[in-house]
Amino acid sequence: ITNNHFIGYCVINNQLYEFDGCNDEPIPVIPYDANNLLKSIVDWIKMKYILPNPQTINFNLMSVSGILPSTFK
């Protein structure tokens, strides 16, 4: 048993969703800026996890990545 878990983020229909194994379903968190997905995710992470407890050392960001729309052509 561990006190740690992973959370992922995905955009569906211009809405950023948080996928957290501790929740029963994906949670819509914020609309995102289509020109800056990374900033949208980072802003959410700061607001929800870092700013409420800035002294914690129990938070690590492993990676944030995306696929550019041109990749699908």
Side-chain angles (χ1 to χ4, degrees), residues 28-72:
V29 291
I30 54 172
Y32 87 109
D33 177 355
N35 296 314
N36 202 340
L37 175 60
L38 178 60
K39 183 175 182 337
S40 296
I41 295 171
V42 169
D43 288 348
W44 172 253
I45 290 170
K46 283 181 182 178
M47 182 178 66
K48 183 172 181 185
Y49 297 105
I50 297 174
L51 291 177
N53 192 4
Q55 301 301 319
T56 187
I57 59 171
N58 295 322
F59 177 83
N60 291 291
L61 181 61
M62 296 176 69
S63 69
V64 175
S65 64
I67 299 174
L68 298 176
S70 62
T71 305
F72 295 110

